[in-house]
Amino acid sequence: MNFPITILQGAFKDIRSTVDSIMDYATYKHSLGLEFGNESQRMKESSDFFNIKFGNIERAMQKAKEIHNSVKKGTPFASVRLKMLWDYYDNPKKESDIAYFCAFCAIKSILGNKEYIKTNKSLVIARMFGLVDTKNEETQEKVFSASAAHRYICSRGGCVGVTQITGAIRSGELMAEKSASGYEIQESDLIKWAVKYADMPEPDNSSAQLMQKYSMRYHIDNVLLELQTNWGLKLYSDHSRGFYLSFTKSLEELAVINIESKSKSKAKLLSQEKAKAKEAALRKLGLRG
């Protein structure tokens, strides 16, 4: 199943909910390519294709549409087998298990359709936590509709209805902007209001702390070692910046690619140095202005 890497935000806090969102999105995305029936019927046909039974298919479709509409151009996608998703949905997982899953998805999103790629630990870690790149995207706030705000609050232990949220917006108690599709509520404004009026617990910084943890060499190296040992990953590095990753190439093939790349880089550098030397000589002889 294909999904935008941004869905992984919050995976360490609730992996079951994350997998649920992946399934919702992938099923809805598949339904968009079907020809017959209305939207709900196509969603049902798509769920049958994946053999997924939704408790409330309309709610799953609505959540998937919100994710689909929030995906920005250029957002990388990961592809994961349904069997793996069911494992993480049905069975309790430790933090380390979640880290392996997120790192696997991160690398799949970096590879895309390529057989191999050269990358670095910083990008792998960023993707593990649902970020597109290594820039601090956490400063880019999420925006919620009233119904999405309701689900956000309830999923975090609060208690509120959509009517109460829209009422708070109309009264000015909750800040929001009006758009053609309804209300747009900034995450920071929603959190402040929900903590005060909807019994939502204060959010913690566990995600940021975990990202800092896995940014440490010991922890990320352990994750990458597990993927190489038990997840089919091939990783090759030869005292250079970054490393080569692949799920299809052998270590020998990656080593050849690395050596060829270094040779090309050296040849290019030598060619540039020769061109500079020639230019300097021409200037010295007064043959260049």
Side-chain angles (χ1 to χ4, degrees):
M1 301 190 102
N2 295 310
F3 63 93
I5 200 68
T6 47
I7 291 182
L8 290 185
Q9 294 176 20
F12 281 89
K13 188 172 184 178
D14 189 347
I15 187 61
R16 199 170 192 268
S17 177
T18 297
V19 170
D20 191 52
S21 294
I22 291 172
M23 290 183 177
D24 289 347
Y25 174 86
T27 304
Y28 174 71
K29 182 69 174 177
H30 179 77
S31 76
L32 296 178
L34 301 178
E35 295 183 18
F36 304 107
N38 59 33
E39 192 175 49
S40 298
Q41 290 169 332
R42 292 195 300 272
M43 185 71 173
K44 177 64 170 61
E45 184 181 343
S46 182
S47 67
D48 290 342
F49 174 80
F50 290 114
N51 197 26
I52 295 174
K53 306 296 181 186
F54 291 109
N56 187 324
I57 198 165
E58 292 295 330
R59 185 184 300 167
M61 185 168 64
Q62 183 58 37
K63 185 171 77 169
K65 286 168 78 172
E66 289 172 3
I67 295 171
H68 182 266
N69 293 336
S70 70
V71 176
K72 296 178 181 177
K73 186 178 180 180
T75 297
F77 279 65
S79 178
V80 179
R81 289 184 178 180
L82 189 54
K83 183 179 178 181
M84 183 185 293
L85 293 175
W86 279 124
D87 177 36
Y88 273 78
Y89 186 83
D90 289 331
N91 302 307
K93 297 295 178 183
K94 297 180 294 186
E95 181 195 305
S96 57
D97 296 320
I98 298 170
Y100 303 148
F101 173 79
C102 290
F104 176 81
C105 295
I107 291 169
K108 294 281 276 186
S109 76
I110 295 169
L111 279 166
N113 295 321
K114 299 183 179 74
E115 288 191 325
Y116 67 90
I117 195 78
K118 187 176 184 182
T119 187
N120 55 67
K121 292 176 184 176
S122 295
L123 184 56
V124 173
I125 294 163
R127 296 283 177 89
M128 282 175 66
F129 289 84
L131 304 180
V132 172
D133 56 37
T134 55
K135 296 175 184 176
N136 186 10
E137 296 181 26
E138 294 167 303
T139 58
Q140 298 178 7
E141 283 198 276
K142 295 179 183 177
V143 177
F144 299 89
S145 64
S147 59
H150 159 70
R151 287 191 293 275
Y152 177 89
I153 293 168
C154 293
S155 69
R156 285 157 178 76
C159 183
V160 69
V162 176
T163 304
Q164 186 181 344
I165 292 172
T166 54
I169 293 171
R170 292 192 190 100
S171 69
E173 188 177 271
L174 173 60
M175 296 294 293
E177 291 186 12
K178 195 80 170 69
S179 69
S181 58
Y183 292 112
E184 292 184 347
I185 311 164
Q186 296 288 334
E187 185 176 25
S188 59
D189 293 325
L190 181 62
I191 290 172
K192 289 176 187 175
W193 180 85
V195 168
K196 188 174 181 179
Y197 297 103
D199 297 322
M200 190 179 87
E202 287 271 8
D204 58 35
N205 296 316
S206 57
S207 181
Q209 290 168 358
L210 280 168
M211 190 169 180
Q212 187 175 18
K213 171 183 173 179
Y214 286 99
S215 295
M216 296 172 64
R217 182 175 179 178
Y218 171 81
H219 293 291
I220 188 59
D221 282 356
N222 278 345
V223 170
L224 293 173
L225 178 60
E226 167 66 18
L227 294 189
Q228 292 173 79
T229 306
N230 295 311
W231 294 62
L233 176 68
K234 297 295 185 293
L235 184 154
Y236 185 83
S237 177
D238 183 26
H239 307 292
S240 59
R241 276 188 187 175
F243 41 74
Y244 286 90
L245 297 173
S246 179
F247 285 105
T248 57
K249 296 285 186 183
S250 67
L251 280 175
E252 183 180 343
E253 287 174 315
L254 292 180
V256 170
I257 291 166
N258 177 66
I259 293 168
E260 288 178 342
S261 177
K262 282 185 175 180
S263 298
K264 288 177 183 177
S265 296
K266 288 179 180 178
K268 184 178 179 181
L269 183 62
L270 182 60
S271 176
Q272 290 173 344
E273 287 176 350
K274 286 180 178 180
K276 287 179 183 177
K278 180 181 179 180
E279 190 67 23
L282 290 170
R283 284 199 184 96
K284 191 172 184 179
L285 295 170
L287 300 174
R288 279 281 193 273

